[in-house]
Amino acid sequence: MLKLLNKNENIIINDHLVSLEIDVENDIVLNISVQKDSNVYIKINKADKIDLDINVEANVKSSILIWNDTKDSMITKEHINVKENANLTLAYADINNANVDRKIIVDLIEKYASADVKTACLTSCDKKYILEINSKAPFTLGQMENFSVVLKDGNYYMDATGRILKGCNGSKSHQTSRALCFDAKQKATILPQLLIDENDVEASHATSVGSVDENQLFYMQTRGLTKKEVLSLIAVGYLSFITDVIDDEDLKNSIIDHIENKVKEIC
């Protein structure tokens, strides 16, 4: 794993599997150029603010998982460009007990570009996301899946926007956002938006905010599990979809272990 310690870093991705670790005082500016098919794992140990720019070059297929393991509040400003016939899967795991404020803008700037953005969030504090996927060329595809588990005193905010600009015919924009609330003393706000300036397109959104099924909770407790154990199992099942973006089985299993440990710690 390559540890990033400087305030300015420029990374070129040319290998199939790349692991990066961010551990800086205060702020970091990180520029990543993805030039070949790859799986990228970025672990954030420490950073107050991250300015992240990612460029996915033409005809490249890449999966990037960003794991937030910070113990203090963090702000990010992220801009991603996806070029012609490139395919990006971008996943965020904010399964830590610290405030997060993310602004993520994904631009599909050339034809046949596609991006699938996934967020998995476990919160008993403040987690805020502004997420946009913009089709700026014809025949592009933007998708997002946002799943959150909101615990006592948690405040989850998701502003999710899919935008198709005029002239971007044949493009598609789809989004799903779901929040599962574990306690009455929580707040979950989801604002889905589709901004469409072209007729020949496909677009959809689905949103839900709900609580744990009491019958399911009771049934599992009758099988000898405590309420805390049941809630931990549900949370892990709800959030572990984020690991599907990684092809490497060893790394995938390691991340699942991380999720299980974090859920037990926070729940």
Side-chain angles (χ1 to χ4, degrees):
M1 180 175 286
L2 176 62
K3 182 171 277 193
L4 307 181
L5 300 172
N6 300 314
K7 295 186 183 300
N8 292 277
E9 295 277 1
N10 297 292
I11 304 295
I12 296 175
I13 305 296
N14 279 319
D15 297 325
H16 174 68
L17 181 62
V18 176
S19 295
L20 306 173
E21 188 173 13
I22 297 175
D23 198 337
V24 299
E25 297 289 343
N26 301 318
D27 306 346
I28 183 172
V29 177
L30 177 59
N31 298 294
I32 297 176
S33 175
V34 185
Q35 300 184 356
K36 291 188 177 180
D37 292 1
S38 57
N39 283 266
V40 182
Y41 174 52
I42 302 174
K43 184 182 179 185
I44 308 170
N45 289 330
K46 188 175 183 180
D48 291 342
K49 183 179 179 181
I50 298 176
D51 286 330
L52 174 64
D53 280 293
I54 300 175
N55 285 288
V56 184
E57 299 299 328
N59 304 307
V60 166
K61 182 177 181 180
S62 182
S63 295
I64 301 175
L65 173 58
I66 301 176
W67 174 275
N68 180 12
D69 203 28
T70 60
K71 294 179 174 60
D72 300 309
S73 297
M74 183 180 70
I75 298 172
T76 76
K77 183 179 179 182
E78 304 169 55
H79 184 213
I80 298 94
N81 285 324
V82 186
K83 297 185 179 180
E84 183 174 355
N85 202 41
N87 182 300
L88 172 66
T89 301
L90 178 62
Y92 293 88
D94 284 311
I95 307 173
N96 62 328
N97 194 21
N99 296 340
V100 172
D101 188 340
R102 290 189 181 275
K103 184 175 183 180
I104 307 161
I105 298 177
V106 180
D107 288 333
L108 309 175
I109 59 174
E110 295 177 353
K111 62 182 181 179
Y112 301 110
S114 67
D116 185 0
V117 180
K118 305 174 185 292
T119 65
C121 171
L122 177 70
T123 183
S124 58
C125 49
D126 293 337
K127 301 270 172 93
K128 177 182 178 181
Y129 302 81
I130 296 176
L131 172 57
E132 298 179 12
I133 302 180
N134 302 311
S135 290
K136 294 187 172 182
F139 306 107
T140 56
L141 170 61
Q143 299 184 110
M144 65 175 79
E145 294 177 277
N146 305 307
F147 281 64
S148 61
V149 173
V150 188
L151 306 176
K152 182 180 178 181
D153 299 322
N155 185 3
Y156 173 76
Y157 179 92
M158 169 61 71
D159 186 337
T161 301
R163 180 182 284 106
I164 299 178
L165 276 62
K166 186 69 176 177
C168 299
N169 57 289
S171 293
K172 301 177 183 180
S173 178
H174 301 291
Q175 59 175 272
T176 299
S177 298
R178 304 194 188 283
L180 181 62
C181 302
F182 276 16
D183 193 276
K185 295 181 180 180
Q186 55 71 42
K187 184 178 180 180
T189 303
I190 300 174
L191 303 176
Q193 299 185 76
L194 293 172
L195 305 178
I196 311 299
D197 291 327
E198 180 61 55
N199 292 322
D200 181 21
V201 299
E202 292 182 19
S204 66
H205 68 74
T207 302
S208 69
V209 177
S211 57
V212 177
D213 188 305
E214 290 296 331
N215 290 328
Q216 182 185 26
L217 183 59
F218 175 76
Y219 173 80
M220 295 179 73
Q221 286 181 280
T222 64
R223 293 297 184 263
L225 297 175
T226 66
K227 182 177 181 180
K228 183 175 181 179
E229 288 172 335
V230 173
L231 294 179
S232 293
L233 286 172
I234 293 172
V236 170
Y238 205 70
L239 299 172
S240 60
F241 81 100
I242 203 78
T243 64
D244 292 341
V245 307
I246 297 296
D247 290 336
D248 185 85
E249 285 300 317
D250 289 338
L251 179 55
K252 183 174 181 177
N253 290 332
S254 175
I255 293 170
I256 291 175
D257 288 341
H258 276 311
I259 291 175
E260 291 176 349
N261 290 334
K262 281 295 180 183
V263 167
K264 289 177 183 178
E265 175 185 324
I266 297 175
C267 284

